Amino acid sequence: MAYRAPVSEITFLLEHVLGGTRLGETSLFADATLDTAAAILDEAAKLAEGEIAPLNRIGDQQGAKLENGMVRCTPGFREAYHALATGGWVGMNGPEAYGGMGMPMALTVAVNEMMSSACLSLALNPLMTQGQIEALEHHASDALKDIYLEKLVSGQWTGTMNLTEPQAGSDVGALTTKAEDNGDGSYRITGQKIFISWGDHDVAENIVHLVLARLPGAPAGTKGISLFAVPKFIPDAAGNPGAANSLRAVSLEHKMGLHGSPTCVMAFEGATGWMVGAENGGMAAMFTMMNNARLGVGIQGLSQAEAAYQQALEYAHERRQGRPPVEGFSTIIGHADVRRNLLTMKALTQSARAICLDCAISLDLARANGDEAQAARAAFLTPIAKTFGTDVGCEVAALGVQVHGGMGYIEETGAAQFYRDVRVTAIYEGTNGIQAMDMVGRKLKDGGTAARALLDEIRATAATGGPHPRLSAAVEHLERATAWMLDAGLNDRFAGAVPYLRAFALTLGGHYLLRAAQADGARMPLAAFHIRQLMAQVGPLCEAACEGAAPLYADPLAV
Ligand SMILES: Cc1cc2nc3c(=O)[nH]c(=O)nc-3n(C[C@H](O)[C@H](O)[C@H](O)COP(=O)(O)OP(=O)(O)OC[C@H]3O[C@@H](n4cnc5c(N)ncnc54)[C@H](O)[C@@H]3O)c2cc1C
């Protein structure tokens, strides 16, 4: 089934639910009016539907290969990547001083959703570059910016993020890759990184690796990590790719999905790199990239939910099986249980999209107006966007397989590919469990101000009337759970972090869907379904969130 980019859905959300017009009212994003946004999204949709989507299946079947020390990508990826780069889509929110379009994050994530729905493996490449552009923009010296930013923004060169080592995954502070000062402003980087997305490829002329490493005598843990830009080919005096650096892709991981994305084991063998940011300040710089990537990965989850929903809906309209008990239906779309699955998929997908776009708008407003409250709002929404977006991706893709019946388990339909491809999004960029811990740990350090401000917004929506008092009840449940979290010890909070985040996300979903329904009455049945059915879990989730850690240690879980 052909993917159709949901342009009108996104523009509706921006205009009627999320207050997207506020962006065009700032001087920074004065060009980003709703009309311009719609025109940009239409252009992106043409590329996503026409050139990128046809590669999704090919990427799955003919994944990246390592041949004679070189990674060869899926046939067609090179040309499609070129179309993405020359269209300006890689650098759409990159700095204008380096050739970027300076577009708001809200539009960038909307475009990224479409490109990722079309082909997640390929769209992961520009996502990494976009994160790197932001990290260099904020933390690199002017000299480094001048060498790298224009090439990255134009998509001529691509970026990677090198954190993970065999013994250092979630615990980045355990990494051992070494950096030694060459005494000429450069450093010698030695170590092995694993699971590096797009670590090597043949779709662009150079690759810039951002590598976390440790200087001799650096403090233990995350306080002793520095960040280095390590190019595959060292730029010559004219800024073009010059001598090959001492680094290579040693092997490619054999993965459950995302076959088109080369996931590399990288060896840095005394490679030359340049420090980004301060000595031992690597985590701060990397956090810029990771925060960008967290929202980006939430969007990846959403993108697969949207694609899986579209395909399942079309299948349900075509497949005849059994006689639906309701007049006027001849295919499985008439069966109540199939409708429940599809409504769940639709409501979760729309909720996740609203959360991600709202987070992006807050980031944009914080940047445009120097608004601290919007920055705190974005920081609180980021782990929700990452976790809920990717959980929804996994759940909706699984329901998509279910709606297809046995054909969902057969690769030809493509339903299984969404399920396989999306699974990693709940793992990488900080596992979802760790995101939830970030929410109840770091993101409540403000004494609950950002959480309560959001709850006030939801309360205001609930007060305007709706299909069920459950939305206001959910706010009260979350108020109590938030108060409990603020009093509890850290491990007790961590024990309840996942149900707390889920309850918050489902309630935010109800708030957005109800606002959408207030703007367009035809959307009321979906809002009612979400609030009555899916939000039935909110109260019990909040209770579970406040149980504390002791019950989790009561069973010995003996091997
Ligand atoms: C396809 C793919 C692409 C990737 N791309 C990149 C990339 O481009 N760059 C890069 O640097 N890395 C990349 N990664 C690595 C990815 O970010 C890590 O796999 C992820 O951070 C988890 O680390 P880990 O695999 O070591 O799992 P572990 O850290 O060993 O975690 C195992 C389990 O324990 C849990 N856990 C661990 N620590 C804690 C804790 N403190 N509290 C509670 N629970 C905990 C985790 O949630 C998880 O469930 C990629 C991975 C994959 C599979």
Side-chain angles (χ1 to χ4, degrees), residues 18-154:
L18 302 173
T21 46
R22 289 173 296 166
L23 294 175
E25 288 159 10
T26 66
S27 55
L28 186 62
F29 300 122
D31 293 341
T33 59
L34 288 175
D35 284 347
T36 314
I40 289 173
L41 295 178
D42 275 336
E43 271 312 300
K46 278 185 214 150
L47 178 62
E49 292 171 353
E51 289 189 52
I52 313 279
L55 294 169
N56 198 35
R57 198 68 201 291
I58 305 169
D60 190 47
Q61 292 172 334
Q62 300 176 50
K65 290 189 177 64
L66 183 65
E67 289 170 355
N68 304 322
M70 296 273 300
V71 173
R72 307 259 173 238
C73 289
T74 299
F77 269 29
R78 193 182 164 83
E79 294 73 15
Y81 175 78
H82 187 71
L84 271 166
T86 51
W89 303 111
V90 179
M92 68 176 287
N93 78 324
E96 285 168 281
Y98 292 96
M101 289 199 264
M103 282 290 152
M105 186 60 98
L107 278 185
T108 308
V109 299
V111 169
N112 286 353
E113 179 201 319
M114 297 180 204
M115 300 305 174
S116 303
S117 288
C119 181
L120 188 62
S121 286
L122 179 63
L124 176 55
N125 176 329
L127 184 69
M128 309 300 291
T129 307
Q130 287 169 355
Q132 183 168 121
I133 290 167
E134 199 176 335
L136 293 179
E137 191 187 348
H138 288 96
H139 302 280
S141 64
D142 287 345
L144 282 184
K145 285 184 195 169
D146 288 346
I147 296 171
Y148 292 104
L149 275 179
E150 207 177 304
K151 303 280 193 190
L152 291 164
V153 166
S154 68

Side-chain angles (χ1 to χ4, degrees), residues 5 36 67 88 95 127 132 166 212 259 265 331 378 426 444 461 511 520:
T36 314
E67 289 170 355
L127 184 69
Q132 183 168 121
L212 285 179
H259 295 153
V265 174
T331 66
L444 287 182
T461 303
H511 152 79
D520 170 10

Side-chain angles (χ1 to χ4, degrees), residues 325-373:
V326 177
E327 201 63 27
F329 292 107
S330 58
T331 66
I332 60 170
I333 194 84
H335 294 303
D337 186 59
V338 173
R339 297 185 75 83
R340 187 180 51 76
N341 282 336
L342 287 166
L343 281 169
T344 303
M345 295 167 79
K346 186 174 184 180
L348 290 177
T349 303
Q350 291 195 6
S351 299
R353 179 179 290 116
I355 290 173
C356 291
L357 279 175
D358 200 6
C359 179
I361 290 174
S362 278
L363 282 172
D364 289 327
L365 291 175
R367 197 171 141 217
N369 300 332
D371 184 336
E372 299 266 321

Side-chain angles (χ1 to χ4, degrees), residues 229-302:
V230 188
K232 176 177 176 183
F233 295 105
I234 297 172
D236 63 18
N240 296 315
N245 210 342
S246 307
L247 60 90
R248 63 201 167 92
V250 180
S251 60
L252 290 186
E253 308 290 0
H254 300 281
K255 309 192 295 288
M256 172 178 175
L258 277 190
H259 295 153
S261 162
T263 308
C264 303
V265 174
M266 298 296 302
F268 294 88
E269 299 162 327
T272 306
W274 286 267
M275 195 184 285
V276 175
E279 189 172 314
N280 297 331
M283 282 312 286
M286 200 50 132
F287 261 121
T288 305
M289 180 159 179
M290 276 159 35
N291 264 331
N292 176 317
R294 277 178 187 170
L295 175 56
V297 172
I299 288 284
Q300 289 190 323
L302 159 68

Side-chain angles (χ1 to χ4, degrees), residues 521-536:
R523 291 167 182 259
M524 193 55 91
L526 186 68
F529 173 81
H530 180 90
I531 292 170
R532 292 197 171 112
Q533 300 263 335
L534 304 186
M535 281 183 59

Side-chain angles (χ1 to χ4, degrees), residues 128 161-166 168-171 194-197 255 258 263 424 427-431 433-434 437:
M128 309 300 291
M161 180 162 116
N162 288 246
L163 289 80
T164 308
E165 297 178 11
S170 303
D171 182 10
I194 60 168
F195 298 157
I196 304 309
S197 297
K255 309 192 295 288
L258 277 190
T263 308
V424 72
I427 295 169
Y428 62 25
E429 219 31 70
T431 63
I434 289 176
M437 288 159 62

